[in-house]
């Protein structure tokens, strides 16, 4: 039962992560585990977590920062200072053990605007630790992927959600309207070369025409005067508008 609890908690975390990605939040991964005992023999219940980019963590203390779900108290968003190995700030949304993904996203948005005012610092208790696992299994069932299962494992499901979310973001940026102004950003040649290498790496690991298109655009406009770059950008946007949405 422990493995199935971990799997279902992972799919719940994936469903929440999907909503966060739709809101353009910088999610990097999910984790989950079933009931277990740590090295000190302490019993721990079902858990799940969602991680964010280092840039997001730097905006909120510079230390460890992420979402954690416990099968006793629900979701919390934790932060830590750079010098602090332990949690220096934890906020709970107070919306139940299994809040809908949209409610978790709203809580994260509120936290970004006002960390001290979002949710509560009081840890809630919705379920007794180590008890009534069959009921918990049933409660997590709605977040399993629809049958037939295309993504049996939550990590595989998240990887696909993550890929699609960033493809949509890139496509949305590339097909921006004609009124989108040209940004005069000065880059060292080494920085531009490094960026092209990263795009090439992304293309080799997760092939997509968008990587190739953006790399070709940056390479073609490198060193051009602003007027020529603006003309090239307009041609790129026109070509992108004719491409199907991924």
């Amino acid at each position: 039962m422990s493995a199935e609890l971990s799997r279902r908690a992972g799919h719940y975390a994936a469903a929440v992560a999907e909503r966060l990605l739709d809101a353009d939040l910088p999610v990097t991964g999910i984790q989950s585990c079933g009931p277990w005992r740590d090295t000190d023999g302490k019993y721990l219940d079902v858990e799940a977590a969602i991680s964010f980019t280092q840039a997001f963590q730097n905006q909120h203390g510079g230390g460890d920062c992420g979402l954690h779900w416990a099968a006793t108290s629900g979701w919390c968003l934790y932060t830590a200072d750079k010098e602090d190995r332990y949690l220096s700030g934890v906020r709970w949304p107070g919306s139940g053990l299994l809040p809908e993904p949209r409610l978790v996203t709203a809580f994260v948005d509120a936290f970004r605007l006002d960390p001290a005012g979002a949710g509560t610092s009081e840890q809630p208790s919705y379920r007794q630790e180590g008890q009534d696992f069959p009921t918990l299994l049933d409660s997590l069932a709605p977040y399993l992927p629809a049958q037939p299962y295309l993504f049996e494992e939550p990590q595989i499901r998240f990887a696909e959600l993550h890929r699609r979310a960033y493809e949509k973001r890139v496509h949305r940026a590339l097909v921006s309207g004609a009124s989108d102004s040209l940004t005069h950003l000065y880059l060292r040649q080494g920085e531009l070369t490094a960026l092209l290498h990263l795009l090439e790496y992304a293309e080799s690991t997760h092939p997509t025409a968008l990587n190739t298109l953006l790399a070709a655009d940056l390479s073609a406009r490198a060193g051009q005067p602003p007027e020529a770059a603006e003309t090239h950008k307009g041609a790129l946007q026109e070509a992108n508008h004719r491409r199907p949405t991924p």
Side-chain angles (χ1 to χ4, degrees), residues 63-83:
D64 195 15
C65 173
L67 278 169
H68 179 263
W69 179 80
T72 54
S73 53
W75 287 102
C76 72
L77 201 155
Y78 60 89
T79 60
D81 296 329
K82 283 184 178 180
E83 297 79 13

Side-chain angles (χ1 to χ4, degrees), residues 142-161:
Y143 294 100
L144 290 170
Q147 292 182 333
Y149 292 158
L150 295 178
F151 306 106
E152 185 71 21
E153 296 303 319
Q155 292 289 353
I156 298 175
R157 176 184 177 184
F158 172 78
E160 180 65 12
L161 292 171

Side-chain angles (χ1 to χ4, degrees), residues 4-13 46 69 71 97-98 133-145:
E4 183 60 17
L5 281 166
S6 176
R7 189 177 76 90
R8 294 194 182 193
H11 278 297
Y12 175 47
V46 187
W69 179 80
L97 182 61
L98 291 165
F133 286 129
T135 299
L136 181 60
L137 272 175
D138 291 341
S139 299
L140 289 165
Y143 294 100
L144 290 170

Side-chain angles (χ1 to χ4, degrees), residues 24-208:
D24 287 345
L25 286 162
V27 178
T28 59
I30 63 168
Q31 303 84 36
S32 64
C33 67
W36 60 291
R37 292 187 183 277
D38 65 12
T39 54
D40 296 326
K42 181 181 178 181
Y43 183 81
L44 299 172
D45 211 293
V46 187
E47 299 179 353
I50 295 175
S51 55
F52 298 96
T53 61
Q54 186 61 52
F56 181 91
Q57 297 182 57
N58 290 341
Q59 293 169 2
H60 300 288
D64 195 15
C65 173
L67 278 169
H68 179 263
W69 179 80
T72 54
S73 53
W75 287 102
C76 72
L77 201 155
Y78 60 89
T79 60
D81 296 329
K82 283 184 178 180
E83 297 79 13
D84 189 359
R85 291 180 56 198
Y86 303 98
L87 303 184
S88 57
V90 183
R91 306 296 296 182
W92 280 269
S95 51
L97 182 61
L98 291 165
E100 294 179 21
R102 63 178 179 83
L103 297 178
V104 183
T105 302
F107 167 65
V108 176
D109 284 339
F111 176 86
R112 297 177 77 189
L113 292 173
D114 182 13
T120 176
S121 60
E122 298 295 325
Q123 182 175 2
S125 178
Y126 302 117
R127 177 180 155 273
Q128 188 174 351
E129 186 177 74
Q131 301 296 315
D132 204 8
F133 286 129
T135 299
L136 181 60
L137 272 175
D138 291 341
S139 299
L140 289 165
Y143 294 100
L144 290 170
Q147 292 182 333
Y149 292 158
L150 295 178
F151 306 106
E152 185 71 21
E153 296 303 319
Q155 292 289 353
I156 298 175
R157 176 184 177 184
F158 172 78
E160 180 65 12
L161 292 171
H162 195 240
R163 181 188 66 79
R164 289 181 180 179
Y166 275 89
E167 277 197 356
K168 287 179 181 177
R169 293 182 195 182
V170 171
H171 186 270
R172 187 168 64 238
L174 289 177
V175 298
S176 54
S179 61
D180 191 21
S181 60
L182 183 68
T183 299
H184 300 288
L185 176 64
Y186 293 96
L187 293 175
R188 291 189 301 108
Q189 182 60 45
E191 291 173 327
L192 176 60
T193 301
L195 177 58
L196 293 173
H197 283 320
L198 285 172
L199 287 170
E200 184 177 291
Y201 171 73
E203 173 66 18
S204 65
T205 54
H206 299 287
T208 167

